[in-house]
C-alpha cells in the first residue's frame, strides 16, 4: 500500500545518508554556524542585486535627511541626541537583518543528488517513495518548492523577495521578519520626525530651521515622507503576513495554492520558537545572533568565500 506523502518523506529524511545534508532544525545554532563557516550564500540575479542596492541607498538617504536636515540644526540638544541614536541604531539593525537575509542559505536542497547511484546507496525499503525535482535534479523534501531565480529547491519556501535578493525559507525567515520589522520602525520614526520638523519650521517661519535653504529642506523632507509612508505600509503588511504564516505553520506559497497540510502543524507558540530559536529572549530580535566573525576570518584564510547559486 502507498503511504501518505508526509510519511513517505519522514522515512527518507531519517535515512542515515540523508540525515546530515537534508535534516535541519532551525533551533540548532551549531548546524547553522557550521553552514556559515563553509560558504557564503549569494544569488547572482541582476534585478535582485539592483533592488538590494536600492534598499541600502534609500535607508542611507533617510538617515542623511534625518541627521543633517532635521536633527543637527536643532537647538534642542537632547532631542537631537536621543532621536539620532535611536534612528541610527534601528537603521544598523535593519541593514544587518537585510544582509543576513541575503547572505544566508534559505534552506536549499543539495543540487543534483537524485542520481541513480545515490538512489541505490539509499537502500530504500519496498513501498518507500521519494520525490525528484526535474528542474534541479534533487531529492525534493515535503514542503520544498523550486525557485526559478535561485535555481534550487528551497525548504519551506515562503517566496522569493527581490529586495533581499534571496528566497525566504526555512533558515533565513527569522532575519527577513526582523528586516521588515526594523524597516517599519525607522519609517514610522522618520514620519514622526518629519511631522515635528514641519510644525517647528512653519511656527518659526523657516528661520534657522535647517542648514539647507527652505525649498531644499522641503523637497528633501517630502521625498522622505513619501519613502517612509510607502516603506511603512509595505513592511508592516509583510511583517504581519509573516507572523501569521509562522503561527499557522503555513508558507505563502502553500496558502496561495490552498495546499492541504500533509504534515503535523505546530502550535502557534511552537512555530514562533522554531523560527526564532528557543525560548523568548532578546536574541529573537538580534540579527547578529549566531554570527561569528572569527569563523569568517578562518574561512577567508582557507581561500575566501564560496558563492552558491
Amino acid at each position: 500500500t502507498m503511504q501518505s506523502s508526509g510519511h513517505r518523506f519522514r522515512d527518507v529524511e531519517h535515512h542515515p545518508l540523508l540525515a546530515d545534508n537534508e535534516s535541519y532544525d532551525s533551533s540548532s545554532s551549531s548546524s547553522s554556524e557550521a553552514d556559515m563557516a563553509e560558504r557564503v550564500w549569494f544569488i547572482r540575479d541582476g534585478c535582485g542585486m539592483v533592488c538590494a542596492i536600492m534598499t541600502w541607498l534609500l535607508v542611507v538617504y533617510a538617515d542623511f535627511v534625518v541627521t543633517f536636515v532635521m536633527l543637527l540644526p536643532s537647538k534642542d540638544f537632547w532631542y537631537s541626541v536621543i532621536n539620532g541614536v535611536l534612528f541610527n541604531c534601528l537603521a544598523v539593525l535593519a541593514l544587518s537583518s537585510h544582509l543576513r537575509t541575503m547572505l544566508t542559505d534559505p534552506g536549499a536542497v543539495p543540487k543534483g543528488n537524485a542520481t541513480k547511484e545515490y538512489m541505490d546507496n539509499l537502500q530504500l525499503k519496498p513501498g518507500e517513495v521519494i520525490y525528484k525535482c526535474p528542474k534541479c535534479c534533487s531529492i525534493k523534501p515535503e514542503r520544498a518548492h523550486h525557485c526559478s531565480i535561485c535555481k534550487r529547491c528551497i525548504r519551506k519556501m515562503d517566496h522569493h523577495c527581490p529586495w533581499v535578493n534571496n528566497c525566504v525559507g526555512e533558515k533565513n525567515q527569522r532575519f527577513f521578519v526582523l528586516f521588515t520589522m526594523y524597516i517599519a520602525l525607522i519609517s514610522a520614526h522618520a514620519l514622526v520626525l518629519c511631522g515635528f520638523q514641519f510644525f517647528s519650521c512653519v511656527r518659526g517661519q523657516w528661520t534657522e530651521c535647517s542648514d539647507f535653504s527652505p525649498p531644499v529642506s522641503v523637497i528633501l523632507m517630502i521625498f522622505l515622507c513619501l519613502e517612509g509612508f510607502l516603506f511603512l505600509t509595505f513592511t508592516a503588511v509583510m511583517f504581519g503576513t509573516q507572523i501569521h504564516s509562522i503561527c499557522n505553520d503555513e508558507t505563502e506559497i502553500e496558502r496561495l495554492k490552498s495546499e492541504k497540510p500533509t504534515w503535523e502543524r505546530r502550535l502557534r507558540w511552537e512555530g514562533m520558537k522554531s523560527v526564532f530559536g528557543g525560548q523568548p529572549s532578546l536574541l529573537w530580535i538580534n540579527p547578529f545572533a549566531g554570527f561569528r566573525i572569527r569563523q569568517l576570518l578562518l574561512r577567508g584564510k582557507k581561500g575566501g568565500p564560496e558563492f552558491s547559486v
Side-chain angles (χ1 to χ4, degrees):
T1 59
M2 184 172 288
Q3 303 167 339
S4 67
S5 59
H7 190 72
R8 274 177 269 163
F9 174 61
R10 282 196 293 270
D11 287 340
V12 179
E13 187 179 40
H14 290 92
H15 195 283
L17 291 178
L18 290 178
D20 292 336
N21 293 329
E22 295 292 327
S23 62
Y24 174 74
D25 181 5
S26 57
S27 63
S28 172
S29 60
S30 60
S31 61
S32 61
E33 290 172 11
D35 292 340
M36 273 190 62
E38 292 175 1
R39 62 185 180 179
V40 172
W41 176 271
F42 184 78
I43 301 301
R44 296 190 181 102
D45 174 59
C47 177
M49 289 188 285
V50 169
C51 289
I53 293 173
M54 284 181 59
T55 302
W56 276 67
L57 291 178
L58 288 171
V59 173
V60 171
Y61 170 78
D63 188 70
F64 169 79
V65 176
V66 167
T67 303
F68 293 98
V69 178
M70 293 189 285
L71 296 182
L72 288 182
S74 175
K75 295 180 180 180
D76 191 333
F77 175 77
W78 289 112
Y79 171 83
S80 300
V81 170
I82 293 174
N83 283 286
V85 171
L86 178 60
F87 188 89
N88 282 278
C89 286
L90 290 175
V92 169
L93 290 171
L95 294 179
S96 300
S97 301
H98 182 271
L99 272 181
R100 297 215 61 182
T101 307
M102 182 171 60
L103 301 180
T104 298
D105 181 345
V109 178
K111 195 174 184 179
N113 64 353
T115 60
K116 185 178 183 302
E117 294 78 12
Y118 192 74
M119 298 290 191
D120 293 338
N121 290 334
L122 292 178
Q123 299 177 354
L124 300 175
K125 299 176 183 179
E128 286 188 81
V129 179
I130 58 177
Y131 297 97
K132 173 184 176 181
C133 176
K135 298 179 181 179
C136 59
C137 192
S138 64
I139 296 176
K140 190 174 184 178
E142 186 181 36
R143 304 189 71 183
H145 294 273
H146 185 86
C147 176
S148 58
I149 299 176
C150 295
K151 298 180 176 62
R152 299 287 290 273
C153 282
I154 307 296
R155 286 177 174 272
K156 288 183 66 177
M157 175 181 169
D158 189 85
H159 67 287
H160 184 94
C161 179
W163 296 104
V164 297
N165 189 34
N166 201 1
C167 276
V168 177
E170 188 176 53
K171 293 185 180 180
N172 67 346
Q173 188 175 23
R174 178 171 79 92
F175 302 125
F176 181 75
V177 172
L178 293 181
F179 168 66
T180 57
M181 181 183 74
Y182 286 124
I183 289 294
L185 289 176
I186 65 172
S187 298
H189 191 192
L191 289 174
V192 171
L193 291 176
C194 282
F196 277 114
Q197 186 72 8
F198 274 117
F199 177 77
S200 62
C201 289
V202 170
R203 186 179 58 179
Q205 297 182 350
W206 296 93
T207 57
E208 301 181 358
C209 179
S210 174
D211 293 337
F212 295 85
S213 63
V216 173
S217 299
V218 171
I219 292 174
L220 291 174
M221 286 191 289
I222 287 177
F223 275 112
L224 178 59
C225 287
L226 292 175
E227 176 191 343
F229 178 76
L230 292 175
F231 267 68
L232 175 60
T233 304
F234 174 76
T235 54
V237 170
M238 184 60 69
F239 175 78
T241 302
Q242 288 294 302
I243 295 298
H244 181 267
S245 297
I246 293 171
C247 290
N248 289 339
D249 194 14
E250 181 183 48
T251 66
E252 187 66 16
I253 291 179
E254 292 164 349
R255 187 186 67 82
L256 292 175
K257 291 185 175 181
S258 299
E259 295 183 3
K260 295 182 179 180
T262 56
W263 61 93
E264 184 178 352
R265 282 186 169 179
R266 294 187 177 98
L267 298 175
R268 292 184 178 182
W269 197 242
E270 292 300 320
M272 292 290 289
K273 291 194 291 185
S274 174
V275 171
F276 290 92
Q279 295 296 326
S281 68
L282 290 177
L283 293 178
W284 277 26
I285 59 174
N286 179 14
F288 300 102
F291 184 73
R292 297 291 183 271
I293 296 180
R294 180 181 176 184
Q295 291 180 342
L296 294 178
L297 294 176
L298 290 175
R299 182 185 57 207
K301 292 180 180 179
K302 292 180 182 179
E306 174 187 347
F307 289 89
S308 301
V309 293

